[in-house]
Amino acid sequence: MSIMSRQKEDPVFNRVEELRLAKGLTRQQLADAVGVHYQTVGYLERGEYSPSLVLALKIAAALEAEVPEVFSIKPFKKGR
Amino acid sequence: MTAKRRSKFFWFEGVTEAEVVRSLNDTRPSRLRQQGPRRVLVWANALVLLAMGLIALVAQPKLQSYLEIALLAVTLGLYLTLRKAVRHISDAPNELLDERQIAARDAAYTVAYRGLAFVVVAVFLLHILLPSESDTGDLLAGRGSLILAFVMAAAALPAMVLAWSLPSEQPEA
């Protein structure tokens, strides 16, 4: 993991890529919607960066989902 | 008539708003976005800075001056390239960065500050160990390159740490 990871020991799992693709959004479009750099969306999707609460809320809103549907401290079950 | 907006210059950080924004939004493929070439730059700059510090060993003052100017130009070029390689994140103010970039920059400064302690020790040891030919009692005589190397190291360390640690960028998808 790179130095920008917030908590190496407490990874945050997410479904950002899955939900973004389901909505037909590019990384750049999602990044613009939540006010971050498109590379930051990539870092999030790869689990290399855990977002702040504010950013998690913004991403969930942009993906029209609830935060627990997008982020979890436990791995998501496949097919969910 | 539309007035052209002037790019803000951040004096403390030493960057303009336009260059940071341009760098952050640059989606063209570049080898500088890959960790391997960035690490080569870091090594190159570290070696040039070390060479600058050792210039005081050169006995001929004229040759010493030429080497000083040449190495200063090289390290300046490497420093500017390193800043570009990390998209100016190392020098940009908070208002131009997102939270991940701010976290990465701040983490790099923490590591750089600790690294600077080793640089200070190295400069101090070189100052003590290098032969001095000054009869005037001037402690810094012939030590210009050592001071320049220290200043350039202090300026470039955050960008060097970031360039070393940032993973290779992935293309937009």
Side-chain angles (χ1 to χ4, degrees):
Chain A
M1 270 194 179
S2 59
I3 60 168
M4 75 284 300
S5 298
R6 276 169 180 261
Q7 308 102 354
K8 282 182 192 172
E9 65 281 4
D10 293 321
V12 175
F13 301 91
N14 72 77
R15 294 167 64 219
V16 174
E17 185 172 22
E18 177 191 335
L19 295 171
R20 173 178 65 78
L21 292 174
K23 282 192 73 69
L25 294 172
T26 64
R27 280 183 184 152
Q28 184 70 64
Q29 287 169 327
L30 178 59
D32 290 342
V34 299
V36 297
H37 192 259
Y38 76 89
Q39 284 286 334
T40 297
V41 175
Y43 280 101
L44 280 165
E45 290 179 352
R46 293 191 297 277
E48 292 175 351
Y49 177 69
S50 305
S52 67
L53 179 59
V54 173
L55 183 55
L57 287 163
K58 283 182 183 174
I59 290 170
L63 296 173
E64 294 173 342
E66 297 297 324
V67 172
E69 292 176 276
V70 188
F71 298 98
S72 171
I73 53 171
K74 289 177 186 168
F76 287 98
K77 285 175 187 157
K78 280 187 181 173
R80 197 191 143 177
Chain B
M1 198 173 105
T2 54
K4 195 178 173 187
R5 191 166 166 263
R6 288 180 65 187
S7 176
K8 189 173 170 185
F9 185 75
F10 296 93
W11 291 96
F12 197 63
E13 291 84 0
V15 289
T16 65
E17 183 180 6
E19 75 177 319
V20 175
V21 170
R22 196 169 48 240
S23 191
L24 288 173
N25 294 328
D26 187 2
T27 53
R28 289 172 300 175
S30 166
R31 294 181 70 183
L32 295 177
R33 306 278 176 254
Q34 302 303 308
Q35 193 182 58
R38 280 199 312 251
R39 286 188 169 184
V40 171
L41 275 178
V42 173
W43 270 113
N45 200 36
L47 290 174
V48 171
L49 289 172
L50 183 66
M52 268 181 88
L54 295 173
I55 282 179
L57 284 173
V58 177
Q60 294 175 321
K62 207 170 181 180
L63 180 61
Q64 206 179 52
S65 298
Y66 288 143
L67 282 173
E68 213 171 278
I69 293 166
L71 289 179
L72 181 63
V74 173
T75 193
L76 266 175
L78 285 169
Y79 171 49
L80 295 175
T81 310
L82 275 165
R83 278 166 46 128
K84 258 189 189 173
V86 297
R87 294 180 180 270
H88 289 84
I89 290 173
S90 57
D91 300 284
N94 281 2
E95 63 192 83
L96 299 179
L97 301 176
D98 68 27
E99 61 171 53
R100 175 191 63 84
Q101 292 162 336
I102 291 171
R105 183 202 59 191
D106 292 352
Y109 269 84
T110 305
V111 176
Y113 187 79
R114 287 175 188 151
L116 200 58
F118 291 99
V119 175
V120 170
V121 171
V123 168
F124 184 67
L125 286 177
L126 278 171
H127 180 66
I128 292 173
L129 298 174
L130 289 176
S132 174
E133 294 180 8
S134 171
D135 299 327
T136 60
D138 181 0
L139 285 172
L140 299 179
R143 298 288 195 264
S145 58
L146 196 57
I147 294 165
L148 276 176
F150 173 71
V151 171
M152 286 307 299
L157 264 175
M160 289 168 77
V161 173
L162 258 187
W164 186 270
S165 58
L166 284 176
S168 296
E169 289 192 4
Q170 308 287 319
E172 185 196 351

